[in-house]
Amino acid sequence: MARENACDLVITDVNMPRMDGITLVSELRGLPHYRLTPLLLLTTESSQERKLEGKRAGATGWIVKPFNPEQLLATMARVL
Amino acid sequence: MTHTKRHAAAEKARYPAAPDNPPPTQQHFAHISRYWDRENQGYAAKLLPGEYYVTTAGERISTVLGSCVSACVRDRRLGIGGMNHFMLPLDASKGSSIWGTAVSAATRYGNVAMERLINDILKLGGRRDSLEVKLVGGGRVLGGIAIDIGARNIEFVRKYVADEGFSVAGEDLGDIFPRKVHYSPETGKLRVKKLNAVRNDTLYERERHYLEVLDRDPVGNDIELF
């Protein structure tokens, strides 16, 4: 789906069965129309190592669950 | 030797002390209290409200539940798994303004407690279709006449488990008693001891304090833009 369509913003979970969020971010960054798209990771994990992995993969930001809806919207506004 | 000394020596011989250090565990469990369970001759982890623990080393996990609930989850094939210990905050107003009450702050806390436990097990090799779930706690211990906090927690965890497509292999929920719980992810055995409802000030205070902290705690401040 991502290969065919561009979107303005992606928020993805990290722990997913077939492909984890960090790998997804890394793969999306390889697609021309996703080079500059804000990609946010939303997860229960909060360790520095994992955040660094996300950053290296090309993520725009890291949001730890439980999230505050107002904060999430503010973050989205900032990156769009 | 006196009689008592001989008895103590015999006890020590029958239940030897820990042979060595507790098995290594993941970094995020470093602060979890672990102890040598003499009676069962194995290591065990003791959970406080808000904590969870997952083991692949045959350890048991224990806690004391009043109105809090614990989900005991393991992978049947591998004998690995863990347990959480949580309660939903009372203040549902945080977050309900935008999302509506459907995804209240309370539910989000519960979701995180369950997600962390299950994700850890899956990351250690567990498979969703091999997971076995047991539920315990939610006694009518905290709260007044108007609200049954235990029942609220039970409702949440039952719904979560059902939504995730898991069946409940065993449970000991509700009633009015606090519970001392021992769970073995290796065997799946869940041992519950009902405690005296009246003489448990420590538990009552601990849970009341936990609820206060939950309601006070601003949620969703850990956001990092790279």
Side-chain angles (χ1 to χ4, degrees):
Chain A
M1 189 192 88
R3 284 181 228 276
E4 267 113 71
N5 306 288
C7 32
D8 301 312
L9 168 78
V10 175
I11 301 175
T12 173
D13 215 325
V14 167
N15 291 304
M16 298 185 292
R18 276 192 289 203
M19 181 191 285
D20 75 78
I22 295 177
T23 308
L24 174 64
V25 162
S26 169
E27 299 233 347
L28 286 176
R29 284 299 181 218
L31 300 174
H33 48 294
Y34 278 93
R35 234 175 17 94
L36 299 172
T37 312
L39 306 175
L40 297 173
L41 291 161
L42 173 66
T43 173
T44 54
E45 298 193 56
S46 56
S47 75
Q48 281 306 112
E49 299 86 52
R50 288 293 263 168
K51 286 185 183 179
L52 199 53
E53 267 187 68
K55 184 176 180 176
R56 288 207 188 103
T60 312
W62 187 283
I63 304 166
V64 180
K65 292 189 220 179
F67 63 88
N68 177 315
E70 282 103 350
Q71 292 263 28
L72 177 61
L73 288 177
T75 306
M76 286 165 66
R78 257 187 82 178
V79 299
L80 278 168
Chain B
M1 270 195 268
T2 62
H3 174 262
T4 36
K5 276 198 182 146
R6 216 180 301 131
H7 182 76
E11 277 287 301
K12 271 202 161 167
R14 211 150 62 100
Y15 298 130
D20 44 32
N21 294 320
T25 192
Q26 292 164 287
Q27 182 57 26
H28 57 288
F29 295 138
H31 65 290
I32 301 286
S33 165
R34 300 207 285 158
Y35 63 99
W36 176 255
D37 181 350
R38 287 184 97 106
E39 204 187 310
N40 291 284
Q41 287 292 292
Y43 278 101
K46 177 126 200 250
L47 299 181
L48 290 174
E51 293 181 339
Y52 80 106
Y53 188 73
V54 172
T55 176
T56 56
E59 296 164 275
R60 294 162 92 235
I61 309 171
S62 68
T63 196
V64 179
L65 299 166
S67 294
C68 284
V69 289
S70 282
C72 308
V73 183
R74 73 179 197 124
D75 179 299
R76 271 185 212 101
R77 311 161 296 144
L78 302 175
I80 66 169
M83 186 165 98
N84 58 19
H85 175 151
F86 69 96
M87 172 151 58
L88 304 186
L90 280 179
D91 185 3
S93 63
K94 295 192 199 112
S96 62
S97 52
I98 297 179
W99 261 235
T101 50
V103 190
S104 66
T107 312
R108 278 183 280 122
Y109 266 101
N111 285 339
V112 167
M114 294 302 296
E115 214 178 297
R116 283 199 176 117
L117 173 62
I118 294 170
N119 281 346
D120 271 29
I121 297 171
L122 296 180
K123 276 198 266 189
L124 289 167
R127 280 200 326 237
R128 290 190 80 92
D129 53 19
S130 301
L131 295 186
E132 174 185 272
V133 177
K134 291 187 178 177
L135 304 177
V136 60
R140 201 187 176 110
V141 172
L142 273 192
I145 303 165
I147 177 167
D148 186 343
I149 291 172
R152 198 161 161 266
N153 295 328
I154 293 171
E155 189 189 337
F156 167 81
V157 77
R158 277 203 203 279
K159 181 170 193 299
Y160 186 94
V161 167
D163 285 347
E164 290 292 303
F166 299 128
S167 54
V168 180
E171 62 178 62
D172 190 331
L173 296 163
D175 214 325
I176 60 164
F177 299 97
R179 293 165 167 88
K180 189 167 169 82
V181 174
H182 290 269
Y183 176 61
S184 165
E186 193 173 32
T187 62
K189 188 162 173 199
L190 176 65
R191 231 182 62 206
V192 180
K193 182 179 169 190
K194 291 204 163 121
L195 303 175
N196 190 306
V198 173
R199 285 191 282 118
N200 235 303
D201 291 337
T202 320
L203 166 68
Y204 182 81
E205 273 313 304
R206 193 187 291 153
E207 284 206 341
R208 206 186 49 78
H209 175 75
Y210 176 53
L211 191 57
E212 244 172 59
V213 167
L214 283 180
D215 282 334
R216 263 204 321 253
D217 222 7
V219 73
N221 284 334
D222 195 346
I223 297 182
E224 196 175 323
L225 288 178
F226 297 136

